[in-house]
Amino acid sequence: MYSCALSDAALSCLLAEDVPFGDLTTESLGLRGRPGRLEFHARGAMTVCGVEEAVRLFALAGANACLVIPSGVAVESDTLLLTAEGPAEALHWAWKTAQTLMEWASGIASGAAALVRAAAPVPVACTRKNAPGTKALSIKAIQAGGAIAHRLGLSETLLVFAEHRLFLDESPSAAIARLRNRQPEKKIVVEVVSADEALTWARAGVDVLQLEKFTPAGLSACRARLEIDGLQPVLVAAGGVRVENAADYVAAGAAMIATSAPYHAAPRDVRVQFFKAA
Amino acid sequence: MYSCALSDAALSCLLAEDVPFGDLTTESLGLRGRPGRLEFHARGAMTVCGVEEAVRLFALAGANACLVIPSGVAVESDTLLLTAEGPAEALHWAWKTAQTLMEWASGIASGAAALVRAAAPVPVACTRKNAPGTKALSIKAIQAGGAIAHRLGLSETLLVFAEHRLFLDESPSAAIARLRNRQPEKKIVVEVVSADEALTWARAGVDVLQLEKFTPAGLSACRARLEIDGLQPVLVAAGGVRVENAADYVAAGAAMIATSAPYHAAPRDVRVQFFKAA
Amino acid sequence: MYSCALSDAALSCLLAEDVPFGDLTTESLGLRGRPGRLEFHARGAMTVCGVEEAVRLFALAGANACLVIPSGVAVESDTLLLTAEGPAEALHWAWKTAQTLMEWASGIASGAAALVRAAAPVPVACTRKNAPGTKALSIKAIQAGGAIAHRLGLSETLLVFAEHRLFLDESPSAAIARLRNRQPEKKIVVEVVSADEALTWARAGVDVLQLEKFTPAGLSACRARLEIDGLQPVLVAAGGVRVENAADYVAAGAAMIATSAPYHAAPRDVRVQFFKAA
Amino acid sequence: MYSCALSDAALSCLLAEDVPFGDLTTESLGLRGRPGRLEFHARGAMTVCGVEEAVRLFALAGANACLVIPSGVAVESDTLLLTAEGPAEALHWAWKTAQTLMEWASGIASGAAALVRAAAPVPVACTRKNAPGTKALSIKAIQAGGAIAHRLGLSETLLVFAEHRLFLDESPSAAIARLRNRQPEKKIVVEVVSADEALTWARAGVDVLQLEKFTPAGLSACRARLEIDGLQPVLVAAGGVRVENAADYVAAGAAMIATSAPYHAAPRDVRVQFFKAA
Amino acid sequence: MYSCALSDAALSCLLAEDVPFGDLTTESLGLRGRPGRLEFHARGAMTVCGVEEAVRLFALAGANACLVIPSGVAVESDTLLLTAEGPAEALHWAWKTAQTLMEWASGIASGAAALVRAAAPVPVACTRKNAPGTKALSIKAIQAGGAIAHRLGLSETLLVFAEHRLFLDESPSAAIARLRNRQPEKKIVVEVVSADEALTWARAGVDVLQLEKFTPAGLSACRARLEIDGLQPVLVAAGGVRVENAADYVAAGAAMIATSAPYHAAPRDVRVQFFKAA
Amino acid sequence: MYSCALSDAALSCLLAEDVPFGDLTTESLGLRGRPGRLEFHARGAMTVCGVEEAVRLFALAGANACLVIPSGVAVESDTLLLTAEGPAEALHWAWKTAQTLMEWASGIASGAAALVRAAAPVPVACTRKNAPGTKALSIKAIQAGGAIAHRLGLSETLLVFAEHRLFLDESPSAAIARLRNRQPEKKIVVEVVSADEALTWARAGVDVLQLEKFTPAGLSACRARLEIDGLQPVLVAAGGVRVENAADYVAAGAAMIATSAPYHAAPRDVRVQFFKAA
């Protein structure tokens, strides 16, 4: 169901980067052309990601791979994920690149999935802070885990940081009115670090408040203060949300969780086994 | 001293991916052209990496950045790393891309440095298992931390895995002789998972044994068995080496540590502060 | 103020595409190295765009260009926009590529500016239907003309077309609730082609209605019907809005104009004059 | 018959630019995997172009498209051009990119075809002034309309502009002789703006005169003056030729029409209809 | 005078291909940061090419290089061509890439120059048969040697091979008339392998005959036969022309030499000397 | 057995560079769509290389090609290597690009093969001095000829040049010890130009001596001097080794030949024959 996040051109670059001129060991041992087969199994429970790319990597290397479990599926340990067959040099060429990609992407997907489960039914949005150069695969991985992308970048959403407000020389309500007129199709989001700031900007008319590093109790208190004024902006909990406390944030009134944490999840192990073909 | 690991073309892609058409918030608030300045400080002790790339990102976005601490330097918390000045839209354009890159690269560099210190004087070599698409920056980061690259890829070293040996139909000594004749300038490395395997391949004449997931005690015992036969191949400890046990591996006789761990180190926080310029 | 919409790598491609191996005429006439100068003037009134790219094209070709008027400025006929000096082969190399780019981009910017003036104070948003392969420069040009980008693409906004609703098997209000929960930071936009559809979806709770090919009178009538129910979604007029009738749409209640028209504006002429340097 | 003007890599970029991470609306509505079908019909008479690219765009997005009418064919209104089927997210992914590309390219092809018909049997050559970054598709489109490319760039033809002559310090006949000796396989083309200039350069021995912004009557008079001297260079009418007056230029003696007009032709509408598949 | 044939992006690729992660030897010896200087001298007489690219390679590697002799100049043995200074790791990074590029390009330039001298005053045109992937630099090199590019490719010239004529079902004169009408600005070139073929096509009205593998005597005889009929097409000698016999071809009546030979010229040696800076 | 050394993206670039907009001659003669066939035959004995890329070039151009002889096979003159069939414009599009690539790569493969035969059983390693921009195909070609790549670049091997030693301020044995500790998996190679240097570095403990421009006699004498001290480093003969004297170097004790010569081998002729299909 998921398509490749990386084009053939990008996957060819990954292969060429690792194996520009063939596997020297296979070549030097004279093993070129020996037929083989391999299997990828999950070494633990995981939400799978990157199988589509792995299949294509084997194809580009000259082997035939078969997708068993697509991205986005949560599997038990020892589940067969992918098989491939072809000459020894092709299997060795794509092996580690495919395995590393799947382990890394499945780590992010599994990390996202854990947080999604913890925060349900509130959505989990992952930020822009993915590892540099991995955006396409990082976003696929968090989506495979059930999360959404918070912002794709700076050009398509209105998120007013203190670093913007520093340059403002008009009142909050004037600033909000300006944004509302200029971008009538966008919600206006303001990041705040205290309940006072939250109140100021809610009164000025924001649609969404991004509460940076509030505790669940702080979020709850902030929400209460806003409601006294009849203000009900969407509240987003950002910074410090973990699997352990996500439900507390939701209970406190967060309509969404914003987090970078899944990007740094540890890779999930994929066990690779080679077989000699007849 | 360190040059940029990423070309201008690659850095432009990173910027364009995040901010293809300007910071909508800055634009919509009418802040274009307001002069500003920012500073990056280390939020904790770290081995710095990625400053050269960050400086160049600001330049490509239309600001002037100044490198204060180059990659490879270990700093205390609150050390000033970089400053930049320019119009608000340029600072906002490059800010998070530069910050995320530095935090991520400094995380890897710091992770590598910790292991390097623990394993000294034995070198730490990082494997090919970096996050997919980040090879150039990952290698720079582990080098900034004092580690070396284990293998750049499959095309330039001889590392015989069990997955190669599966296809062999000749004796270990015949295989080693074949490699020796074919590649007289390369050391022959064989990965083994037991002392028996180690003995077999040492007798066959390998230069280096990569001991996969041996304990320090296991490594020590393996070395003792080899010495009984007068065999003294270079021993590399791979799999499971951590800051806590690295010294034990070295004491047990490892001449090198091979590890993927630093690639998964948590990012190190960089604090960014904006100022309004006169 | 505006930065280049195209990286050096992209600008080098434009130059190489037109002049892969030098200007054969200059070379064959033996004119290499003769010093010259040129000036670009607006041949009519226009909103300028593309000067930053033109300046950089001359630099990449080995000449020195000087920006006189930046993108985004409305100028009178005969205004000097740019000068360049250098050897004849460099001036000839970049001349037409720079001129064509500026004429094309200034055409779009001027077309956008005319519509922006006509629709003021309501914003004009340009669609995704730019000429294929020109997105970066097209968006810069409509921004230079004072318009905004409607959607950067499909991945960052919620715009429900009939082509989506075809696949739905739940009620409009269920669909809207689903979107609202899943994407609490996004406004929900639905494209409708009749007042009945508008009413249906406004009742279901949309934030924005995109009224496709309504007349100003039709838009006004639609708005009246919605207000009877106390519904006041943002109304966007899309399809068929021109300079001549934009004010009518605004008077009828449109909060935004969505249009592709500026992308197809005729290029604005730039007059180029060469001089022999001493 | 026509192949794709854009490689898979280039088409993947177009798709990624518009839909980097999936259609958010389809995803958020939970429509992933719903089977669908669509049809592209000409909304008016047109010379078709871009179908090959559209078919490939759907394939890259994960749908199966079928080419009904290839580029270069003139069709009546309501002609079926292309069908595609696949999951909703794939159809939505490629839909607008494919439609916009076909509309834009068919606009150029149709514009070229109209001029080709008007100028028959004399060829119509389109200049280098295509929209920046669209050269491959622009040239395909004018070829699909029956026109030819005037010059691919500066490196392969001899076209002496006044901007070259400014730097000359030898007589026209010396300059022509120099070109003739240096490039014996190329015709020598000189652009002139008056009959006097035409006579000067025809006497000097040019093969082709490009008459810039001559009226048909002016071209006819120029040709008569040249014939008095027994001079019969190829005459190319450039600048100001339109469908309405092309035949007059041909009657006046133009052997070719050089024009940029088709590049700015309005897009031709393509009607897209979605169907729910069983 | 000559600009770089390769963009910074292309030169960065060359460097990264050879030295993706620094010079391991310099690093491992602890020589990073030691200041040095180097000089490139011609090891024999040569026509220089590639210095502009070499200078830029050193800059991209972090050294400062100074161009002493530009491309296109014929120098004596031991002439200083380029100097560079910087830290040891930068000099080692760019050294061989720069040297190999200059040696290779100077080999082609020198080979072209020798043929140009032998054929003077008739121009030497080099064919499309350069080493795959080296077109930009190959064309620069033959131009630096004083030769011209025969055809840049298939899309901009008319050269009728026997492999085209095989598909023709009309007479030579009908084919020529068709080409003449369709492409009035291009000369019509036909490749022939015998005097009979030459006569046939000259009678049909070609502008240029490309005589494939004629001897000088054969070319002379062919020309005589054509003149009996009053036919004087441009005669191009192609295939088998060498420095030794080029003058014979010219004496026999060739107006141009077409050859691939310079692309295969042996590299010219460049001597590189390192110095330790204070 | 050999895979393509160039990705589809790279092969598309080669095609586009030569034929950006179709074969003008085929188009202008009205031959589009005429069915044809062609065959590639070896014009002399050769070791074939580049057939896989040629087959793919025809596919990308819209023809069907069939590989008859794969890379790496030594064939007699007149052996059929490849066939292709398709419309005339597709065959003409890919013809010369495919032919030139195969001729060039087969030249290198054949040159390498000749040296490999002469030096057997000692391996031949080709250096980094391939034509700039051709690395992937150059390495494939020398591998097809039975040679190996000496170094892929500077980042993965230890080869100490005099240009490194210039910066050293420690003794040879200290330098070797430093390298040995820092890179326990790499052999240490030192390039020397005299027997004295050889002795110095062998005593310091190098693994491999690269003897630059030694005669066979000189190599033999050097080896004898080393053996007096009981030193038996691997000896590599580099510089000046040719087919004629390779066996002498082997007899003198070289364990490997390092050479750049095959990169400059003359292309091997491939005969191309077109046929008109029914």
Side-chain angles (χ1 to χ4, degrees):
Chain A
M1 294 301 192
Y2 278 90
S3 55
C4 270
L6 301 177
S7 67
D8 272 14
L11 292 168
S12 293
C13 284
L14 283 185
L15 279 180
E17 196 173 58
D18 190 41
V19 193
F21 308 109
D23 176 19
L24 192 67
T25 310
T26 299
E27 301 290 331
S28 301
L29 285 169
L31 303 179
R32 179 177 277 272
R34 305 279 168 98
R37 193 166 60 77
L38 58 72
E39 295 176 358
F40 280 26
H41 286 85
R43 205 188 275 280
M46 64 173 67
T47 295
V48 174
C49 189
V51 208
E52 295 76 15
E53 288 78 13
V55 165
R56 194 75 198 128
L57 283 167
F58 280 105
L60 289 169
N64 291 312
C66 183
L67 183 151
V68 180
I69 302 288
S71 289
V73 175
V75 301
E76 294 305 305
S77 187
D78 293 315
T79 304
L80 178 67
L81 305 176
L82 170 155
T83 63
E85 62 182 25
E89 71 272 19
L91 297 178
H92 273 282
W93 187 3
W95 163 23
K96 286 268 175 169
T97 299
Q99 181 187 6
T100 300
L101 188 152
M102 276 184 61
E103 292 184 338
W104 179 85
S106 299
I108 295 178
S110 301
L115 204 50
V116 164
R117 279 190 301 273
V122 152
V124 173
C126 293
T127 70
R128 297 152 55 211
K129 302 190 72 165
N130 55 272
T134 69
K135 187 164 183 175
L137 206 54
S138 290
I139 300 287
K140 175 175 175 175
I142 60 107
Q143 289 177 336
I148 62 176
H150 184 222
R151 314 173 74 186
L152 296 187
L154 295 188
S155 303
E156 96 286 4
T157 39
L158 295 175
L159 172 42
V160 184
F161 290 114
E163 287 81 357
H164 290 105
R165 302 191 302 258
L166 174 78
F167 296 105
L168 272 183
D169 45 19
E170 60 191 354
S171 70
S173 56
I176 296 302
R178 177 193 289 270
L179 292 176
R180 181 88 56 211
N181 291 332
R182 184 67 179 162
Q183 297 285 350
E185 292 193 320
K186 308 279 185 196
K187 285 197 179 169
I188 300 167
V189 189
V190 174
E191 187 190 69
V192 295
V193 296
S194 70
D196 285 347
E197 275 192 350
L199 201 60
T200 300
W201 287 96
R203 284 176 178 154
V206 302
D207 298 304
V208 182
L209 284 172
Q210 182 164 310
L211 306 179
E212 177 69 7
K213 295 195 181 137
F214 279 55
T215 60
L219 191 151
S220 187
C222 177
R223 183 184 174 209
R225 270 189 66 183
L226 293 168
E227 288 188 345
I228 291 170
D229 280 30
L231 297 165
Q232 291 191 305
V234 171
L235 298 183
V236 174
V241 186
R242 301 182 310 279
V243 168
E244 296 72 23
N245 62 13
D248 299 336
Y249 280 99
V250 175
M256 193 170 90
I257 304 297
T259 178
S260 309
Y263 297 132
H264 314 307
R268 296 284 165 141
D269 282 353
V270 169
R271 180 164 46 82
V272 178
Q273 207 171 349
F274 272 66
F275 303 91
K276 206 168 159 177
Chain B
M1 293 302 191
Y2 278 90
S3 56
C4 271
L6 301 177
S7 68
D8 272 14
L11 292 168
S12 293
C13 284
L14 283 185
L15 278 180
E17 195 173 58
D18 189 42
V19 194
F21 308 108
D23 175 19
L24 192 67
T25 310
T26 299
E27 301 290 332
S28 301
L29 285 169
L31 303 178
R32 179 178 277 273
R34 305 278 167 99
R37 192 166 60 78
L38 58 71
E39 294 177 0
F40 280 26
H41 287 85
R43 206 187 272 280
M46 63 173 68
T47 295
V48 174
C49 189
V51 209
E52 295 76 15
E53 288 78 13
V55 165
R56 195 74 198 128
L57 284 167
F58 279 105
L60 289 169
N64 290 312
C66 185
L67 182 150
V68 180
I69 301 289
S71 289
V73 175
V75 300
E76 294 306 305
S77 188
D78 293 316
T79 304
L80 177 68
L81 305 176
L82 170 155
T83 62
E85 62 183 25
E89 70 273 19
L91 297 179
H92 273 282
W93 187 2
W95 163 23
K96 286 270 176 169
T97 299
Q99 180 186 5
T100 299
L101 188 152
M102 276 183 62
E103 291 185 338
W104 178 85
S106 299
I108 294 177
S110 301
L115 204 50
V116 165
R117 279 190 301 272
V122 151
V124 172
C126 293
T127 70
R128 297 151 55 210
K129 302 191 70 166
N130 55 271
T134 69
K135 187 164 184 175
L137 206 53
S138 290
I139 300 287
K140 176 177 175 174
I142 59 107
Q143 290 179 335
I148 62 175
H150 185 222
R151 314 173 74 185
L152 296 187
L154 295 189
S155 302
E156 97 285 4
T157 39
L158 295 175
L159 172 42
V160 185
F161 290 115
E163 287 80 357
H164 290 104
R165 303 193 299 259
L166 175 77
F167 295 104
L168 272 184
D169 47 19
E170 59 192 353
S171 71
S173 57
I176 297 302
R178 176 193 289 270
L179 292 176
R180 181 88 57 210
N181 291 333
R182 184 69 178 160
Q183 298 285 349
E185 291 194 319
K186 308 279 185 197
K187 285 197 178 168
I188 301 166
V189 189
V190 173
E191 187 189 69
V192 296
V193 296
S194 69
D196 285 347
E197 276 191 348
L199 200 59
T200 299
W201 287 97
R203 283 176 179 155
V206 303
D207 298 303
V208 183
L209 284 172
Q210 182 163 310
L211 307 179
E212 177 69 6
K213 295 194 180 138
F214 280 55
T215 60
L219 191 150
S220 187
C222 177
R223 184 185 172 210
R225 271 189 65 183
L226 293 169
E227 288 186 347
I228 291 170
D229 279 30
L231 297 165
Q232 290 191 305
V234 170
L235 299 183
V236 175
V241 186
R242 300 182 312 279
V243 169
E244 296 72 22
N245 62 13
D248 299 336
Y249 279 99
V250 175
M256 193 170 90
I257 304 297
T259 178
S260 309
Y263 297 131
H264 314 307
R268 295 283 164 141
D269 282 352
V270 169
R271 179 164 46 82
V272 178
Q273 207 172 348
F274 272 65
F275 304 91
K276 206 168 159 177
Chain C
M1 295 302 192
Y2 277 91
S3 57
C4 271
L6 301 177
S7 68
D8 273 13
L11 292 169
S12 293
C13 283
L14 282 185
L15 278 180
E17 194 174 59
D18 189 42
V19 193
F21 307 107
D23 176 20
L24 191 67
T25 310
T26 298
E27 301 290 331
S28 301
L29 284 168
L31 303 178
R32 179 178 276 272
R34 306 278 168 99
R37 193 167 59 78
L38 58 72
E39 295 177 359
F40 279 26
H41 286 86
R43 206 187 274 281
M46 63 172 67
T47 295
V48 173
C49 189
V51 208
E52 295 77 16
E53 287 78 12
V55 164
R56 194 75 198 127
L57 284 167
F58 280 106
L60 289 169
N64 291 311
C66 184
L67 183 150
V68 180
I69 303 288
S71 290
V73 175
V75 300
E76 294 305 303
S77 187
D78 292 316
T79 305
L80 179 67
L81 306 175
L82 170 156
T83 63
E85 60 183 25
E89 71 274 19
L91 297 179
H92 272 283
W93 186 3
W95 163 23
K96 287 269 175 168
T97 298
Q99 180 186 6
T100 298
L101 188 152
M102 277 185 61
E103 291 184 338
W104 179 84
S106 299
I108 294 177
S110 301
L115 204 50
V116 165
R117 280 191 300 272
V122 152
V124 173
C126 293
T127 71
R128 298 151 54 211
K129 302 191 68 165
N130 55 271
T134 69
K135 187 163 181 175
L137 205 54
S138 290
I139 300 288
K140 176 176 175 174
I142 60 108
Q143 290 178 334
I148 62 176
H150 185 222
R151 315 173 73 186
L152 296 188
L154 295 189
S155 302
E156 96 286 4
T157 40
L158 295 174
L159 171 43
V160 185
F161 290 115
E163 286 80 359
H164 290 105
R165 304 192 300 258
L166 175 77
F167 295 104
L168 272 183
D169 46 19
E170 58 190 356
S171 70
S173 56
I176 297 301
R178 176 193 291 269
L179 293 175
R180 181 88 56 211
N181 290 333
R182 184 69 179 159
Q183 297 285 349
E185 290 194 320
K186 307 279 185 196
K187 286 197 179 170
I188 300 166
V189 190
V190 173
E191 188 189 70
V192 295
V193 296
S194 69
D196 285 348
E197 276 191 349
L199 201 59
T200 299
W201 287 95
R203 284 176 178 153
V206 302
D207 297 304
V208 183
L209 284 172
Q210 181 164 312
L211 307 179
E212 177 68 7
K213 294 195 182 139
F214 279 55
T215 60
L219 190 151
S220 187
C222 177
R223 183 185 173 210
R225 271 189 65 183
L226 293 168
E227 288 187 345
I228 291 171
D229 280 30
L231 298 164
Q232 291 190 305
V234 171
L235 299 183
V236 174
V241 186
R242 301 182 310 278
V243 168
E244 296 73 22
N245 63 12
D248 300 336
Y249 279 99
V250 175
M256 192 171 90
I257 304 297
T259 177
S260 308
Y263 296 133
H264 313 308
R268 296 282 164 142
D269 282 354
V270 169
R271 179 164 47 81
V272 178
Q273 207 170 349
F274 272 66
F275 304 90
K276 206 168 159 177
Chain D
M1 295 300 192
Y2 277 90
S3 55
C4 271
L6 302 177
S7 68
D8 272 13
L11 292 168
S12 293
C13 284
L14 282 184
L15 278 179
E17 195 174 57
D18 190 42
V19 193
F21 308 109
D23 176 19
L24 191 69
T25 311
T26 298
E27 301 291 331
S28 301
L29 285 168
L31 303 179
R32 178 177 277 272
R34 305 280 167 97
R37 192 167 60 77
L38 59 71
E39 295 176 359
F40 279 27
H41 286 86
R43 205 187 274 281
M46 64 173 66
T47 295
V48 174
C49 189
V51 208
E52 295 77 15
E53 287 79 12
V55 165
R56 195 74 198 127
L57 283 167
F58 279 105
L60 289 168
N64 290 312
C66 185
L67 183 151
V68 181
I69 302 288
S71 289
V73 175
V75 300
E76 295 305 304
S77 187
D78 293 315
T79 304
L80 178 67
L81 305 176
L82 171 155
T83 63
E85 62 182 25
E89 71 273 18
L91 297 179
H92 273 282
W93 187 3
W95 163 22
K96 286 269 176 169
T97 299
Q99 180 187 6
T100 299
L101 188 152
M102 276 184 62
E103 290 185 339
W104 179 84
S106 299
I108 295 177
S110 301
L115 204 50
V116 165
R117 279 191 300 273
V122 152
V124 172
C126 293
T127 71
R128 297 152 54 211
K129 302 191 71 166
N130 55 272
T134 69
K135 188 164 180 173
L137 206 54
S138 290
I139 300 287
K140 176 177 176 175
I142 59 108
Q143 289 178 334
I148 62 176
H150 184 222
R151 312 173 76 187
L152 296 187
L154 295 189
S155 301
E156 96 285 3
T157 39
L158 296 174
L159 171 42
V160 184
F161 289 115
E163 286 81 358
H164 290 104
R165 301 189 306 255
L166 176 76
F167 296 104
L168 272 183
D169 47 18
E170 58 191 357
S171 70
S173 56
I176 296 302
R178 177 192 289 270
L179 293 176
R180 181 89 56 211
N181 291 332
R182 185 67 178 161
Q183 298 285 349
E185 291 194 320
K186 307 281 185 194
K187 284 195 178 171
I188 301 166
V189 189
V190 174
E191 187 190 69
V192 295
V193 297
S194 70
D196 285 348
E197 276 191 350
L199 201 59
T200 298
W201 287 96
R203 282 176 178 154
V206 302
D207 297 305
V208 182
L209 285 171
Q210 181 164 311
L211 307 178
E212 179 68 8
K213 294 196 182 138
F214 279 55
T215 59
L219 191 151
S220 187
C222 177
R223 183 185 174 209
R225 269 189 66 182
L226 293 168
E227 288 187 344
I228 290 171
D229 280 31
L231 298 165
Q232 291 191 306
V234 170
L235 299 183
V236 173
V241 185
R242 302 182 310 278
V243 168
E244 296 73 23
N245 63 13
D248 299 336
Y249 280 99
V250 176
M256 193 170 90
I257 303 298
T259 178
S260 308
Y263 296 132
H264 314 307
R268 296 284 165 141
D269 282 354
V270 168
R271 179 163 47 81
V272 177
Q273 208 171 349
F274 272 66
F275 303 91
K276 206 169 160 177
Chain E
M1 295 299 193
Y2 277 90
S3 55
C4 271
L6 301 177
S7 68
D8 272 13
L11 292 168
S12 293
C13 284
L14 282 185
L15 278 179
E17 195 173 58
D18 190 42
V19 193
F21 307 109
D23 175 20
L24 191 68
T25 310
T26 299
E27 301 291 331
S28 302
L29 285 169
L31 303 179
R32 178 177 277 271
R34 305 279 166 99
R37 192 166 59 77
L38 59 71
E39 295 176 359
F40 280 26
H41 285 86
R43 205 188 274 281
M46 63 173 66
T47 294
V48 174
C49 189
V51 207
E52 295 77 15
E53 287 78 13
V55 165
R56 194 75 200 127
L57 284 166
F58 279 105
L60 290 168
N64 290 311
C66 184
L67 182 150
V68 180
I69 302 288
S71 289
V73 174
V75 300
E76 295 304 304
S77 188
D78 292 315
T79 304
L80 178 67
L81 306 176
L82 171 155
T83 63
E85 61 182 26
E89 71 273 19
L91 297 179
H92 273 283
W93 187 2
W95 162 23
K96 286 270 177 169
T97 299
Q99 180 187 5
T100 299
L101 188 152
M102 276 183 62
E103 290 184 340
W104 180 84
S106 299
I108 295 178
S110 301
L115 205 49
V116 164
R117 279 191 300 273
V122 152
V124 172
C126 293
T127 71
R128 297 153 54 211
K129 302 191 70 166
N130 55 271
T134 69
K135 187 163 182 176
L137 206 54
S138 290
I139 300 286
K140 176 177 175 175
I142 59 107
Q143 290 178 336
I148 61 177
H150 186 222
R151 314 173 73 185
L152 296 188
L154 294 188
S155 301
E156 95 286 3
T157 39
L158 296 174
L159 172 42
V160 184
F161 289 115
E163 287 80 359
H164 290 105
R165 301 190 306 254
L166 176 78
F167 296 105
L168 272 184
D169 47 19
E170 59 191 354
S171 70
S173 57
I176 297 302
R178 176 193 290 270
L179 293 176
R180 181 87 57 210
N181 291 333
R182 185 66 178 162
Q183 297 285 350
E185 291 194 319
K186 308 279 187 196
K187 285 196 179 171
I188 300 166
V189 189
V190 173
E191 187 189 69
V192 295
V193 297
S194 70
D196 285 347
E197 275 191 351
L199 201 60
T200 299
W201 287 96
R203 283 177 178 153
V206 302
D207 297 305
V208 182
L209 284 172
Q210 182 163 310
L211 306 179
E212 177 68 7
K213 294 193 181 139
F214 279 55
T215 59
L219 191 152
S220 188
C222 177
R223 184 185 173 209
R225 270 189 65 184
L226 294 168
E227 287 187 346
I228 291 171
D229 280 30
L231 298 164
Q232 291 191 305
V234 170
L235 299 183
V236 174
V241 185
R242 302 182 310 278
V243 168
E244 295 74 22
N245 62 13
D248 299 336
Y249 280 100
V250 175
M256 194 171 90
I257 304 297
T259 177
S260 308
Y263 297 131
H264 314 308
R268 295 283 164 140
D269 282 353
V270 169
R271 180 165 45 82
V272 178
Q273 208 171 349
F274 273 66
F275 303 90
K276 205 169 160 176
Chain F
M1 293 302 193
Y2 279 91
S3 56
C4 271
L6 301 177
S7 68
D8 272 13
L11 292 169
S12 293
C13 284
L14 282 185
L15 278 181
E17 195 174 57
D18 190 42
V19 193
F21 307 109
D23 175 19
L24 191 68
T25 309
T26 299
E27 300 292 331
S28 301
L29 284 169
L31 303 179
R32 180 177 275 273
R34 305 279 167 97
R37 192 166 61 77
L38 59 71
E39 295 176 359
F40 279 26
H41 286 86
R43 206 187 274 282
M46 63 172 68
T47 295
V48 174
C49 189
V51 208
E52 295 76 15
E53 288 78 13
V55 164
R56 194 73 199 129
L57 284 167
F58 279 106
L60 289 169
N64 291 312
C66 184
L67 183 150
V68 181
I69 302 288
S71 289
V73 175
V75 300
E76 294 305 304
S77 188
D78 292 315
T79 305
L80 179 67
L81 305 175
L82 171 156
T83 63
E85 61 183 25
E89 70 273 19
L91 297 179
H92 273 282
W93 186 3
W95 163 23
K96 286 269 177 168
T97 298
Q99 181 187 5
T100 299
L101 187 152
M102 278 185 61
E103 291 184 338
W104 179 84
S106 299
I108 294 177
S110 300
L115 205 49
V116 165
R117 279 191 300 272
V122 152
V124 172
C126 293
T127 71
R128 297 151 56 210
K129 302 191 70 165
N130 55 270
T134 69
K135 187 163 181 174
L137 206 53
S138 289
I139 300 288
K140 175 175 176 175
I142 60 108
Q143 289 178 336
I148 62 175
H150 184 222
R151 314 172 73 185
L152 296 189
L154 294 189
S155 301
E156 96 286 4
T157 39
L158 296 174
L159 172 42
V160 184
F161 290 114
E163 287 81 357
H164 290 104
R165 304 191 301 257
L166 175 76
F167 296 104
L168 273 183
D169 46 19
E170 58 191 355
S171 70
S173 58
I176 297 301
R178 176 192 290 269
L179 293 175
R180 181 88 57 212
N181 291 334
R182 183 70 178 160
Q183 298 284 349
E185 291 194 319
K186 307 280 184 195
K187 285 197 179 169
I188 301 166
V189 190
V190 173
E191 187 189 68
V192 295
V193 297
S194 69
D196 284 347
E197 277 191 349
L199 201 60
T200 299
W201 287 96
R203 284 176 177 153
V206 302
D207 298 303
V208 183
L209 284 172
Q210 182 164 311
L211 307 179
E212 177 68 8
K213 294 196 181 136
F214 278 56
T215 60
L219 190 151
S220 187
C222 177
R223 183 186 174 211
R225 270 189 66 182
L226 294 167
E227 288 187 345
I228 291 171
D229 280 31
L231 298 163
Q232 291 190 305
V234 171
L235 299 183
V236 174
V241 185
R242 300 183 312 278
V243 168
E244 294 73 22
N245 63 12
D248 299 336
Y249 280 99
V250 176
M256 193 170 90
I257 304 297
T259 177
S260 309
Y263 297 132
H264 314 308
R268 294 283 164 141
D269 282 353
V270 169
R271 179 165 46 83
V272 178
Q273 207 171 348
F274 273 66
F275 303 91
K276 207 169 160 176

